Amino acid sequence: MIRNRLEKLRTWMREQPGGEVGAFIVPSNDPHFSEYVAAHWGCRAWISGFDGSAGTAVVTTEGRAALWTDSRYFLQAEEQLAGTGIELQRMGIEGTPTIARWLAEGIVAEGGRRVGIDGRLFSRAAFEAMSGELAEVGFELVPTEDPFAEIWADRPALPHARAFLLEEAYSGEATADKLRRIRSAQPTGAVRLGAVLDEIAWALNVRGGDIAYNPVVVGYLAIESERAVLFVDPAKFGAEDRERLRREAGGEMRPYEEFAEYLRRELGGKTVMVGSEGLDVYHWGLLSQTGARIRKEATPYGVISAMKAVKNATEIDGFRRAMEVDGVALVRFERWLEGVVAAGRRPTELEAAARLHAFREAAGGAEFRGESFETIAGYGDHGAIVHYEATPESDRAIGTDGFLLIDSGGQYRYGTTDITRTYHFGTPTTEQRRDYTAVLRGMIDLCAARFPAGTRGAQLDVLARRYLWDEGRNYLHGTGHGVGHFLCVHEGPQSIRMNENPVVLQPGMVQSCEPGVYVAGRYGIRIENLTLVTAEGCPEGFLRFEPLTLCPISLAAVDVELLTADQREWLNDYHAEVYARLAPRLEADDERAWLRERTRPVE
């Protein structure tokens, strides 16, 4: 099936009116550069068979194809690409060629020097970077029409989920006030264009369901001096919400398809603020043709992204509330799972994920809006697949010999959660205990850090890795990502990872702390909490991380003797806080007794 699809694309490439396209690049994203996309834009998954959230496929008319992805998906991609003829290129591994180098080494035909892309799926910045890399080896990058509009016969339609406005009681700031702040950061009379969906959702206090797990609405946004124009299917909103947006924020809704015409007809000669990472090269070209005075954002992440990352007091309180509700669900889930395994039953990975969802739904009630991403429940060697997805074919019973890694999260109207815990229901081996304790120690040291204002995440990353490095272990994914408030579970602009990121950590930012270790074919271990950057309790000019997540950290595989006195103190203080915050929310005495035991001090 995949080979047939590749041939359809190659036929389309050979028949291009401007001349044959010798190679075509298919990224993971949609026109809004989303990490997770609606089914309509699942082109890379459709053409390759690999359905991880990150990857880029390249197909040549000469019969070759390859897919680049990062370490989270190496094992998954290897399995899903088997038999397709698509080569797996492991990003971040020494010797892996870039796309440009791979093409230079493989394409020799004279007609193959043109490399095509759908211009709607590449930001201006990405297009310029790729153009430069390809030019160095003699290739030309050319925007084309969308080939999948022709070759994907049963392509899903654009999403049409219902949308709504989030009340200020949850957002903490009225839409009109957000728009005033945004306008104050641009020249008088300028128009700001936005295509990134979570930025649009934050700016207008809009939420929807167009992308699974991400409560966003597919659309574009133009912030003018006196009005904000949202290009979206207006039928997604009720009449009351449409009127409220108009009345409170001067908001106007137009059909999604009219964005291009708006650029052509209404922005000529105007000053237009555009982020080079926030508008695709196709629409950028239309804007350029109008004579608009385009001003790029001063930073790659943009004004709205920077504002959104620093949570206000209402949002922070919402996160804390979400953690308590989520914590109750997790306590009940872990108690159930531990009990059934101890009784000799062997629930499967899919069963565990379904039960966890049910506990969250029961705890959150009407405020629960689904999961924040698809639950990762991997037992044994499945845990070594960083973003493992259980299927009916791969579903495995949970036993007592290996680790069970569960990474999950919930969406609530007042906040978003993301947590990973790793369990062992038997007697861990010496190696398992060593690795688990090394991950835990790194997680504790990072969460306990105090650091000067102005510190970047890359300067702290080593704290989470140092004990793994002592053992000759490492992990290739980032240690921490920003988290949206009832928005995308992964957001920027801050991060904690080995790669340099110029964004400094600021009070009000929420991010994960999630070191791990993955032993292929055997087990995976990851422990993750969400944290809040705060100055509270710090010397002047310093910051720290406040743990937000409330859930016991399994002690079954901890080698307590390896913990320093400070690490034991942090763990005991954290568990005391977990008990103090969650116990009043538990109705049954046996639940509180279970939690008391799982949060007992270590000595």
Side-chain angles (χ1 to χ4, degrees), residues 6-7 9-11 13-14 20-25 57-66 68 87 99 102-104 106-108 112 114-115 139:
L6 291 170
E7 286 309 310
L9 178 56
R10 290 181 176 120
T11 298
M13 292 159 61
R14 296 185 186 104
E20 177 179 313
V21 174
F24 198 87
I25 301 175
V58 182
V59 180
T60 76
T61 54
E62 296 293 307
R64 293 185 69 193
W68 281 255
E87 307 164 23
I99 290 174
W102 182 81
L103 288 172
I107 292 185
V108 295
R114 299 173 74 242
V115 179
F139 289 86

Side-chain angles (χ1 to χ4, degrees), residues 192-489:
R192 183 181 299 275
L193 297 179
V196 180
L197 301 184
D198 65 335
E199 294 183 8
I200 295 171
W202 179 86
L204 298 182
N205 285 329
V206 164
R207 298 296 188 270
D210 281 346
I211 297 178
Y213 310 111
N214 298 272
V216 296
V217 182
V218 169
Y220 295 97
L221 175 63
I223 301 177
E224 302 176 351
S225 298
E226 301 297 332
R227 66 174 180 173
V229 185
L230 176 62
F231 296 88
V232 66
D233 178 2
K236 294 178 180 180
F237 293 85
E240 185 176 335
D241 276 344
R242 293 198 298 270
E243 171 58 23
R244 178 181 153 202
L245 185 64
R246 184 202 63 77
R247 183 179 65 254
E248 295 181 3
E252 176 183 327
M253 292 187 189
R254 297 188 189 178
Y256 180 72
E257 295 77 12
E258 290 186 8
F259 181 61
E261 192 65 15
Y262 169 80
L263 300 182
R264 292 189 188 99
R265 291 185 176 275
E266 299 189 35
L267 297 186
K270 295 185 178 180
T271 299
V272 180
M273 302 294 298
V274 180
S276 58
E277 296 279 6
L279 189 66
D280 63 85
V281 70
Y282 168 78
H283 285 109
W284 191 294
L286 294 181
L287 185 61
S288 298
Q289 293 168 15
T290 69
R293 297 185 296 273
I294 302 176
R295 293 187 56 169
K296 295 182 182 180
E297 294 273 16
T299 57
Y301 47 84
V303 165
I304 297 177
S305 178
M307 292 179 179
K308 174 169 56 67
V310 178
K311 276 54 180 179
N312 60 45
T314 299
E315 291 173 320
I316 292 170
D317 286 345
F319 269 109
R320 293 191 177 114
R321 179 182 174 191
M323 298 303 167
E324 291 182 355
V325 173
D326 213 55
V328 168
L330 287 159
V331 163
R332 289 171 175 161
F333 165 74
E334 292 179 14
R335 183 168 173 264
W336 165 81
L337 180 60
E338 184 180 285
V340 295
V341 172
R345 195 163 79 76
R346 297 293 177 258
T348 69
E349 296 162 336
L350 285 177
E351 182 182 355
R355 289 300 295 264
L356 178 52
H357 178 92
F359 280 115
R360 276 197 169 103
E361 189 171 38
E367 304 280 43
F368 177 66
R369 308 295 292 192
E371 296 164 331
S372 56
F373 57 95
E374 186 166 11
T375 296
I376 299 167
Y379 178 71
D381 61 338
H382 286 172
I385 304 173
V386 179
H387 274 202
Y388 169 71
E389 178 183 336
T391 66
E393 293 74 26
S394 71
D395 194 20
R396 177 176 296 168
I398 297 165
T400 58
D401 296 329
F403 283 115
L404 170 66
L405 186 156
I406 298 184
D407 188 349
S408 68
Q411 292 282 14
Y412 305 87
R413 288 176 78 96
Y414 35 76
T416 299
T417 70
D418 180 5
I419 175 175
T420 307
R421 291 293 185 263
T422 303
Y423 309 97
H424 200 296
F425 300 113
T427 303
T429 67
T430 299
E431 182 184 27
Q432 288 173 336
R433 288 166 60 86
R434 181 197 68 197
D435 284 351
Y436 184 92
T437 306
V439 171
L440 175 60
R441 295 180 73 192
M443 185 262 199
I444 291 174
D445 280 7
L446 179 56
C447 287
R450 289 189 177 188
F451 48 92
T455 296
R456 306 180 306 280
Q459 295 172 292
L460 300 176
D461 183 78
V462 66
L463 297 175
R465 299 177 188 266
R466 56 183 297 195
Y467 304 107
L468 291 169
W469 287 357
D470 287 345
E471 301 294 338
R473 306 278 204 192
N474 194 23
Y475 55 93
L476 299 181
H477 60 72
T479 298
H481 57 81
V483 179
H485 174 263
F486 185 29
L487 273 175
C488 301
V489 73

Side-chain angles (χ1 to χ4, degrees), residues 430-588:
T430 299
E431 182 184 27
Q432 288 173 336
R433 288 166 60 86
R434 181 197 68 197
D435 284 351
Y436 184 92
T437 306
V439 171
L440 175 60
R441 295 180 73 192
M443 185 262 199
I444 291 174
D445 280 7
L446 179 56
C447 287
R450 289 189 177 188
F451 48 92
T455 296
R456 306 180 306 280
Q459 295 172 292
L460 300 176
D461 183 78
V462 66
L463 297 175
R465 299 177 188 266
R466 56 183 297 195
Y467 304 107
L468 291 169
W469 287 357
D470 287 345
E471 301 294 338
R473 306 278 204 192
N474 194 23
Y475 55 93
L476 299 181
H477 60 72
T479 298
H481 57 81
V483 179
H485 174 263
F486 185 29
L487 273 175
C488 301
V489 73
H490 294 156
E491 74 165 23
Q494 83 274 26
S495 64
I496 303 173
R497 57 191 313 120
M498 290 192 294
N499 314 72
E500 180 54 46
N501 179 348
V503 179
V504 301
L505 297 170
Q506 301 177 53
M509 286 183 168
V510 173
Q511 55 282 306
S512 66
C513 170
E514 49 182 309
V517 65
Y518 311 94
V519 183
R522 297 171 62 194
Y523 56 80
I525 301 165
R526 186 163 63 251
I527 305 172
E528 175 188 17
N529 273 6
L530 298 190
T531 64
L532 171 71
V533 180
T534 179
E536 184 178 347
C538 293
E540 185 176 354
F542 276 74
L543 304 172
R544 67 179 178 89
F545 293 119
E546 173 193 324
L548 291 175
T549 300
L550 296 170
C551 178
I553 297 171
S554 176
L555 303 175
V558 177
D559 187 340
V560 176
E561 292 184 359
L562 293 178
L563 300 180
T564 66
D566 287 343
Q567 289 165 349
R568 295 182 195 187
E569 181 181 9
W570 185 95
L571 184 59
N572 290 338
D573 288 347
Y574 174 72
H575 274 158
E577 178 76 4
V578 169
Y579 185 83
R581 298 270 296 281
L582 296 187
R585 287 179 168 266
L586 297 171
E587 299 170 358

